[in-house]
């Protein structure tokens, strides 16, 4: 399985720190970036994704979860802004819901919350999991819930690094 983004180099401004106001909610970049998948394994019934900033550990003390979701179906194109526009996507809690941030609403905490590296450029890890069945989760799930639900149901996985500029 392969992941490809339509952009080369760094994440375009509209999906991250330099996003204009019309692409933000409560000051957080909210328009998820598009990507495409190739070579899904036979038997793929659904996808799950994680988008995590491991470069955040020296700054926050933990890997920063920007987006976790499932319920895409066996698609090969994930369109821009699906996080905000989909009525069927199941989305988990990102790190904007941690006790270290203000009380953001569900439109931020249970959706894509774009990269805003505070100290230097960061590499963000997008991982896509091809699943043999849809997962039984409800919106607001945590990363550990996703990992448990996927156990024994991952047919393949792929990941890419997405650079976001400070």
């Amino acid at each position: 399985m392969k992941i490809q983004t339509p952009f080369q180099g760094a994440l375009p401004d509209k999906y991250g720190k330099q996003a204009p106001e019309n692409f933000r909610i409560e000051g957080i970049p909210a328009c998820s970036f598009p990507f495409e998948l190739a070579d899904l394994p036979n038997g793929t019934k659904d996808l799950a994704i994680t988008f995590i900033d491991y470069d955040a550990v020296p700054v926050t003390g933990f890997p920063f979860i920007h987006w976790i979701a499932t319920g895409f179906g066996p698609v090969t194109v994930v369109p821009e802004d699906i996080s905000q526009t989909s009525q069927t996507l199941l989305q988990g809690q990102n790190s904007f819901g941690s006790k270290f941030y203000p009380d953001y609403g569900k439109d931020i905490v249970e959706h894509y919350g774009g990269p805003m590296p505070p100290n230097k450029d960061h590499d963000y890890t997008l991982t896509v999991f091809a699943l043999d069945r849809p997962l039984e989760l409800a919106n607001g799930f945590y990363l550990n819930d996703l990992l448990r639900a996927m156990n024994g149901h991952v047919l393949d996985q792929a990941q890419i690094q997405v650079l976001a500029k400070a």
Side-chain angles (χ1 to χ4, degrees):
M1 188 167 70
K2 297 176 186 147
I3 308 168
Q4 185 174 9
T5 62
F7 49 87
Q8 300 298 320
L11 187 71
D13 288 349
K14 78 188 282 185
Y15 309 117
K17 189 173 187 174
Q18 303 304 321
E21 272 308 305
N22 58 322
F23 291 105
R24 293 175 177 270
I25 296 174
E26 298 184 53
I28 305 298
C31 182
S32 57
F33 59 90
F35 58 92
E36 295 182 7
L37 302 167
D39 304 326
L40 290 178
N42 290 336
T44 299
K45 303 283 191 252
D46 202 1
L47 303 172
I49 65 152
T50 61
F51 187 54
I52 299 175
D53 178 9
Y54 293 99
D55 286 344
V57 173
V59 179
T60 62
F62 54 89
F64 198 99
I65 302 164
H66 284 271
W67 192 23
I68 53 176
T70 190
F72 293 89
V75 301
T76 57
V77 175
V78 175
E80 174 182 276
D81 205 25
I82 193 171
S83 176
Q84 290 296 327
T85 60
S86 175
Q87 301 299 311
T88 58
L89 202 59
L90 296 171
Q91 300 183 80
Q93 292 213 14
N94 61 39
S95 294
F96 288 108
S98 78
K99 65 182 180 180
F100 302 109
Y101 287 91
D103 288 332
Y104 288 115
K106 286 184 179 185
D107 285 344
I108 290 298
V109 175
E110 293 181 12
H111 290 83
Y112 172 87
M116 297 186 300
N119 60 334
K120 62 180 182 173
D121 296 352
H122 284 203
D123 284 316
Y124 295 73
T125 303
L126 172 65
T127 307
V128 179
F129 303 88
L131 306 172
D132 66 2
R133 69 173 177 86
L135 302 178
E136 295 179 16
L137 293 168
N139 284 315
F141 61 86
Y142 291 99
L143 178 60
N144 58 327
D145 298 325
L146 177 67
L147 297 174
R148 273 191 217 104
M150 288 192 310
N151 190 26
H153 299 287
V154 177
L155 299 171
D156 197 5
Q157 71 183 62
Q159 64 181 209
I160 61 169
Q161 300 302 308
V162 177
L163 177 68
K165 298 284 191 175

